[in-house]
Amino acid sequence: MRTISTISLLICCLANVSCGGGGGSGSSPKPPSSAAVSSSVATTSSQSSSPASSSAATSSAAISQALIKINQIGFKPNSQKWAVIPAVAATTFRVINKSDNSTALTGNLSAAATWVPAQESVKLADFSAITTAGSYELQVDGVEKAAEFTVSDNAYEALNAGAVKAFYFNRASTELLEAHAGVYKRAAGHMDDKVYIHASAKSALRPERSVIAAPKGWYDAGDYNLYIVNSGISTYTLLAAYESFGDYFKHQHLNIPESDDDVPDLLNEIRWNLEWMLAMQDPNDGGVYHKLTSKNFSGFVMPASDVSDRYVVQKTTAAALNFAATLAAASRVYAEYETQFPGFSATLLTAAKTAYDWAKANPRIYYTQPADISTGTYGDGDVSDEFMWAAAELYITTKIDSYYTDVNLANLTPDVPWWGGVKTLGLFSLARHSAELTAVAETAIIKTKLDNLATTIVNKGSSSAYGVAINTGDFNWGSNSGILNHAWVLLEAYQRDKSKTAYLNAAQSLLDYVVGRNPTDYSFVTGFGKKTPQNIHHRPSGADGIPGAIPGFLAGGANAGQEDKSSCSKPYPSTLAAKSYLDEECSYASNEIAINWNAPLVYVSAALQVLTE
Ligand code: 9MR
C-alpha cells in the first residue's frame, strides 16, 4: 500500500536489532493470590529514586539474581501492567521514571505463590497506574536487577509490522530484494512451476508424475514445504485480523514489493499465499492436495540451493475444508478490492464452493503419509470441526441458509483453536458478522458460546501465580501459538462486548508472557525484545551466514515433550514444562518458527494496539 509511515521501524527490524523497549510487564484481571496488591502514584516528581540494584539495607546473601519477568516490548498508557517478581522478602516495589530519576509509583507486591509449570515461587507487581508515556525502571529490594519498561501510544506497532513482515521473509518462489529484505536479501528458490503429482494424488486426468505449477505461498515453518491445512488457519487468522482492524492495517506500510499499490500491505501479503492455495486445487474435481513437498526435509541450505523434486501429495477432506473456509473468508475481504484485483474475489468463492462440495462427497479421506515421504503430516482423523468452519465461512459470504444448517451450531462446543481444531474459527466469524446474517442465524447463542469460552480462559488465569491463563498442560509443541490463540479468543469476545475488560486484560497477560513475562526470560519474537531467540530452527536464518535470526518470527516456545532432545548436543535447561526451551537450531520442538504461530501474534499485537484505549 502506498504510504511511507513506518520505514524507521522497519529499518530497525531489518537490521535485526532490538526493536522493543527495555523490559516491560504484564496485566491481568486481578492479582491471583493476594488482595494486597495496591499502589500509589507519586504526586511530585522530585522524590529521589532508590538505587537500581541492591538496596543498601539488604544483605548480599538475600539478594536474588533471578530476573524480574516483564513484557520486553512495552505497554500502551492504558494497558494493565504486571510483572512477575522472584519471591524475595520485600513486600513493595517502586517504579522510577528514567527521565528524571523520580519515583513515579510505589506499590505492594502480592503474596508469594508457586507457579506449577515452572515450580517458581513468585510475587506480582501491578503498576498499571503508570499511564504516562516514557521509560521506566521497576525496582524491588533484594532483587539484583531492576527491570526496564516503556510506555507509549504505539507500543505494539513495530512488533505487529515485524510479525507480518516475517511472512514476506518466508515467501516461496521469489527473490527477496535488498530494497525490501535488507541484509536478508536472497536468491529465488522453489519456483514450483514444475511440481509432480505424487502416486498418492494421481487421478485419470493427472496421472502419477504428471506436472502442474503451484508457485508462491509461504514456507510452512523452518522447513521449505507447504501444507494446506496449516496454510488455511494461518491465512484465516490474518484475514480475521484484517476484518477486525481494517482501519489499522490500511495505514500499515511494510516495504514489500507490492507496497506501491493502493491495497493494504497485509492483503498484498495474504494474496501471495492465496494464489498458491488456488493452485493446490485440482480443477477437474475440486479436491485439494494436502501438501506440496520434497520427499524429505532439506538440509540447512538457502532456498536456491534446495533443488530437490517437489510433489503434491494426496487430496484430503481436511485440506478441502481448510481451503474452502479460508477462501470463502478471503472472498468477502477481497471483494473490497475488485478494482485492483478484478475477478479475484469471485474466483476465491467458486474455488471454496467446489472444494466444499468435494469434501461432502468425500467426507472421510484422512491424510496417510506415503512410505516415500517423510516431511510434516498435519494429519487429522476428525474433520467434523473443519466441516463446521467451512460451512460457517461459506454461509457468511454467500448468505445461503443451507450452509448455516450445515454448521450445526448446537453441536459446536467451542475450544481454543489450533491447526487440528478449527470449529471456533467459524464461531469467531459468525460473531464478527452477526449484524449481517440472515434470520436463521442464532446470534444470541453464538455470542454466548464465545463468551463462555472467554470466561473459562479468564478463570484459568485468575489462580495463576504468573497471572497468565495457561497451565502445565499447555506446554506442547508450538506452545507460544496456543498461548496467543487463547488471547485471540479473548479479543474476539471483547470486541463483541467491550464491557468485559477482564478479557482484554487477560489477553494482555498472554502477550506479556510471550514477550518476556515467562520463566525463560526470553521475548520469543526474534529481534523484538531485550533477550530474543538467536538460533531458531529456520533454514534461511541458519544458512544465510548472518549472525542471529531473521526478525519478526515467533519461536515455538517451551515444550514439555522435548521430542528433539536426542537430536541436540546441548541439553534442555530443565525438565519443567515452562522451562523446556532451548535456543538452539537443533531444537525443532521448541525453537522452530511457523506461519500458524506468527499469525496469532499478528492478530493479538494488532488487537492490543487498537483496542487498548
Ligand atoms: O505444529 C505441528 C505440531 O502441532 C506437531 O506436534 C508437530 C509434529 O507432528 O508438527 C508441527 O508442525 C510442523 C510440520 O509438521 C512441518 N513443518 C514444521 C511444523 C512446525 O514444527
Side-chain angles (χ1 to χ4, degrees):
M1 87 171 270
R2 197 186 302 126
T3 58
I4 44 165
S5 51
T6 49
I7 282 178
S8 56
L9 68 89
L10 286 166
I11 290 169
C12 136
C13 302
L14 289 174
N16 196 18
V17 297
S18 172
C19 300
S25 162
S27 71
S28 165
K30 250 187 185 180
S33 53
S34 166
V37 175
S38 63
S39 56
S40 59
V41 183
T43 49
T44 75
S45 61
S46 59
Q47 300 174 44
S48 63
S49 73
S50 301
S53 56
S54 58
S55 156
T58 312
S59 80
S60 59
I63 290 178
S64 171
Q65 291 178 344
L67 297 179
I68 292 172
K69 320 295 187 187
I70 194 162
N71 173 328
Q72 297 174 21
I73 303 298
F75 302 94
K76 291 199 67 177
N78 289 326
S79 303
Q80 281 202 14
K81 305 174 187 74
W82 283 33
V84 169
I85 315 294
V88 291
T91 56
T92 61
F93 68 89
R94 61 191 163 269
V95 174
I96 307 303
N97 188 331
K98 286 174 73 180
S99 67
D100 58 5
N101 262 0
S102 63
T103 301
L105 179 72
T106 56
N108 293 329
L109 297 170
S110 67
T114 297
W115 197 46
V116 174
Q119 288 299 336
E120 268 178 14
S121 180
V122 295
K123 300 181 173 187
L124 283 165
D126 178 355
F127 50 102
S128 307
I130 300 287
T131 56
T132 306
S135 296
Y136 299 90
E137 204 168 85
L138 175 63
Q139 303 176 348
V140 175
D141 288 342
V143 178
E144 186 181 70
K145 282 207 173 105
E148 296 176 334
F149 65 93
T150 57
V151 175
S152 69
D153 286 329
N154 59 0
Y156 304 122
E157 286 182 9
L159 175 68
N160 181 261
V164 182
K165 183 104 184 207
F167 287 82
Y168 162 78
F169 285 125
N170 246 30
R171 282 187 188 189
S173 317
T174 188
E175 179 182 15
L176 302 191
L177 296 174
E178 187 170 5
H180 309 116
V183 293
Y184 304 108
K185 66 183 178 189
R186 60 170 161 83
H190 308 104
M191 298 316 288
D192 292 336
D193 48 353
K194 284 190 191 114
V195 177
Y196 295 109
I197 301 286
H198 185 264
S200 60
K202 70 181 178 191
S203 59
L205 293 170
R206 289 183 162 187
E208 182 180 355
R209 280 202 73 86
S210 56
V211 168
I212 65 166
K216 302 191 177 177
W218 302 307
Y219 299 128
D220 182 59
D223 62 323
Y224 288 138
N225 307 299
L226 296 88
Y227 310 77
I228 283 287
V229 163
N230 204 44
S231 219
I233 185 172
S234 308
T235 305
Y236 169 78
T237 307
L238 298 182
L239 290 166
Y242 182 79
E243 283 200 322
S244 303
F245 314 112
D247 289 344
Y248 173 77
F249 285 110
K250 280 174 183 159
H251 294 99
Q252 183 178 66
H253 179 79
L254 296 174
N255 185 26
I256 58 177
E258 302 80 10
S259 286
D260 282 341
D261 67 12
D262 57 356
V263 174
D265 275 351
L266 180 62
L267 297 189
N268 282 321
E269 191 52 52
I270 292 171
R271 189 161 179 261
W272 185 267
N273 199 58
L274 289 170
E275 290 186 325
W276 169 72
M277 290 183 79
L278 282 167
M280 289 293 281
Q281 184 174 43
D282 182 349
N284 303 302
D285 64 1
V288 178
Y289 303 109
H290 195 75
K291 62 178 177 177
L292 190 165
T293 184
S294 49
K295 287 198 169 180
N296 304 301
F297 289 120
S298 76
F300 267 65
V301 297
M302 293 303 281
S305 302
D306 175 24
V307 293
S308 45
D309 289 345
R310 309 260 281 176
Y311 297 83
V312 289
V313 180
Q314 199 191 355
K315 291 170 191 164
T316 63
T317 311
L321 291 168
N322 267 267
F323 175 102
T326 305
L327 270 57
S331 174
R332 58 178 186 261
V333 168
Y334 286 85
E336 203 188 327
Y337 294 94
E338 185 61 26
T339 315
Q340 293 84 349
F341 307 134
F344 190 52
S345 170
T347 299
L348 292 165
L349 184 56
T350 303
K353 283 177 171 172
T354 53
Y356 185 76
D357 291 346
W358 185 93
K360 284 195 99 171
N362 299 275
R364 275 179 296 279
I365 302 192
Y366 305 125
Y367 184 69
T368 310
Q369 183 90 304
D372 61 340
I373 305 269
S374 65
T375 53
T377 53
Y378 290 112
D380 188 350
D382 176 0
V383 293
S384 58
D385 52 309
E386 281 80 4
F387 268 110
M388 287 175 172
W389 178 33
E393 300 300 342
L394 279 161
Y395 166 63
I396 295 162
T397 302
T398 64
K399 307 289 189 298
I400 296 171
D401 286 350
S402 60
Y403 286 126
Y404 184 81
T405 311
D406 282 3
V407 174
N408 200 353
L409 191 69
N411 275 2
L412 196 162
T413 306
D415 53 14
V416 176
W418 62 294
W419 66 258
V422 292
K423 58 191 165 184
T424 304
L425 304 180
L427 195 70
F428 287 170
S429 290
L430 288 166
R432 195 181 310 125
H433 290 275
S434 58
E436 311 138 33
L437 303 180
T438 66
V440 295
E442 299 137 293
T443 49
I445 298 175
I446 290 164
K447 183 169 181 298
T448 302
K449 285 187 184 246
L450 182 55
D451 244 353
N452 289 346
L453 179 60
T455 302
T456 307
I457 295 172
V458 169
N459 292 342
K460 192 172 164 187
S462 63
S463 56
S464 155
Y466 256 68
V468 285
I470 41 175
N471 54 38
T472 304
D474 292 311
F475 291 94
N476 48 26
W477 195 312
S479 63
N480 284 334
S481 73
I483 289 160
L484 289 175
N485 282 332
H486 279 67
W488 184 14
V489 173
L490 292 161
L491 292 161
E492 292 281 1
Y494 176 67
Q495 288 168 87
R496 312 285 81 83
D497 181 355
K498 295 220 176 132
S499 71
K500 302 278 178 57
T501 50
Y503 296 173
L504 184 68
N505 294 333
Q508 176 74 44
S509 271
L510 291 159
L511 180 69
D512 289 347
Y513 168 91
V514 163
V515 295
R517 197 172 104 203
N518 68 65
T520 72
D521 297 318
Y522 277 91
S523 164
F524 285 112
V525 186
T526 57
F528 288 84
K530 199 168 184 178
K531 182 182 178 192
T532 63
Q534 300 298 306
N535 307 301
I536 51 176
H537 183 89
H538 179 231
R539 281 161 178 74
S541 291
D544 63 8
I546 298 164
I550 298 175
F553 285 102
L554 177 69
N559 174 9
Q562 302 191 357
E563 290 87 346
D564 51 16
K565 66 180 170 206
S566 59
S567 323
C568 281
S569 52
K570 283 203 185 166
Y572 275 81
S574 167
T575 53
L576 292 167
K579 293 184 170 179
S580 292
Y581 172 70
L582 191 57
D583 182 17
E584 292 295 329
E585 188 178 279
C586 56
S587 185
Y588 54 82
S590 83
N591 208 29
E592 191 166 356
I593 61 88
I595 54 174
N596 64 314
W597 304 346
N598 253 65
L601 176 63
V602 170
Y603 191 100
V604 170
S605 55
L608 290 172
Q609 177 59 37
V610 173
L611 298 172
T612 307
E613 295 169 322

